[in-house]
Amino acid sequence: MISPWDRWYSTSCCLCCHVRTGTIILGIWYTIINAVVLLILLSALYDPVQYRYHLSSAELGTDIDVMDDANICIATAISLLMILICGMATYGAYKQHAAWIIPFFCYQIFDFALNTLVAISVVVYPNTVQDYVQQLPGTFPYKEDIMSTNNMCLVFAVLLFIGCILSFKAYLISCVWNCYRYVSGRGTTEVLVYVTTNDTAVLLPPYEEAIAIPPKEPPPQYMEA
């Protein structure tokens, strides 16, 4: 009986490329995104006056810092950690080290779980979508049009958007998981071949010694009395 894991196992992903190639491309893409975010955060730490964000006093009555220095430091640490995890996944897929892919796979599962919780919260509390739209600044484009939309239609549109994102993330998770299985299986096969080769070399005598062994003498002929 074929298990569900084996049924969905495949060594190819989008654009008909190998799962190793897809994982390497995905790791490089995530590394570039987090590197750009890290540069922006470091620029904000270097020049906080230019990159500090405020909400206008006309909207909330007072100026409120959306991101202070402490939050920027936390976001910088998270970006560094993400760059490390994505770099490990890229290196692990390239050098075929399965253990290096596990942290990136765990991050994908965690991100998928968070997005699933967002979708569940929208279903359980549909009015939160309208409340979130009301908190947007007045300069947000099409805010009035969104507010005039029926609440059920707005919730359906948000759930459809989140569903598309979850489907795409689930596909990427399957690609990374298939890459991990491929690398693990390839490493196991190489170990078995190595052990079999060594056992064969130990059990069989060298070729020269096998030739040098004298043949056995035939048994004596039976003599009748």
Side-chain angles (χ1 to χ4, degrees):
M1 183 176 179
I2 301 175
S3 63
W5 295 108
D6 295 332
R7 185 177 303 171
W8 294 101
Y9 174 71
S10 176
T11 56
S12 61
C13 58
C14 56
L15 300 178
C16 298
C17 61
H18 199 272
V19 288
R20 279 187 60 213
T21 307
T23 304
I24 291 172
I25 295 174
L26 185 63
I28 293 174
W29 174 249
Y30 271 81
T31 304
I32 292 174
I33 293 177
N34 287 278
V36 172
V37 174
L38 181 62
L39 289 176
I40 296 174
L41 293 173
L42 292 177
S43 300
L45 287 176
Y46 180 75
D47 192 1
V49 178
Q50 181 179 359
Y51 289 92
R52 181 165 295 175
Y53 299 96
H54 297 278
L55 294 178
S56 60
S57 57
E59 297 171 357
L60 298 178
T62 57
D63 292 339
I64 299 178
D65 293 335
V66 176
M67 182 172 287
D68 55 6
D69 293 340
N71 292 330
I72 292 178
C73 292
I74 295 174
T76 302
I78 294 175
S79 298
L80 288 173
L81 180 62
M82 285 303 306
I83 291 174
L84 178 62
I85 291 175
C86 298
M88 289 175 61
T90 304
Y91 179 81
Y94 180 73
K95 292 293 186 179
Q96 299 188 17
H97 297 310
W100 292 63
I101 307 176
I102 295 178
F104 185 72
F105 178 75
C106 295
Y107 157 73
Q108 286 184 303
I109 297 296
F110 178 74
D111 182 60
F112 184 84
L114 288 181
N115 286 272
T116 305
L117 290 177
V118 172
I120 294 174
S121 64
V122 171
V123 174
V124 176
Y125 304 103
N127 294 327
T128 55
V129 179
Q130 288 283 354
D131 297 338
Y132 178 77
V133 174
Q134 290 178 357
Q135 295 176 1
L136 294 174
T139 57
F140 188 82
Y142 305 107
K143 178 181 178 180
E144 298 298 331
D145 298 335
I146 297 175
M147 290 295 299
S148 61
T149 307
N150 187 12
N151 189 26
M152 294 303 298
C153 295
L154 188 60
V155 170
F156 177 77
V158 171
L159 288 178
L160 182 62
F161 179 72
I162 296 177
C164 294
I165 293 177
L166 288 177
S167 301
F168 183 68
K169 288 181 178 295
Y171 181 74
L172 295 180
I173 290 173
S174 66
C175 292
V176 175
W177 174 249
N178 289 334
C179 177
Y180 171 77
R181 292 191 61 188
Y182 171 79
V183 174
S184 300
R186 187 176 179 87
T188 304
T189 304
E190 291 178 354
V191 170
L192 290 177
V193 171
Y194 177 76
V195 172
T196 305
T197 305
N198 284 352
D199 291 343
T200 305
V202 171
L203 294 177
L204 295 179
Y207 180 73
E208 293 79 4
E209 295 182 3
I211 295 178
I213 296 176
K216 294 183 178 180
E217 297 180 358
Q221 295 182 358
Y222 177 73
M223 301 296 291
E224 295 181 0

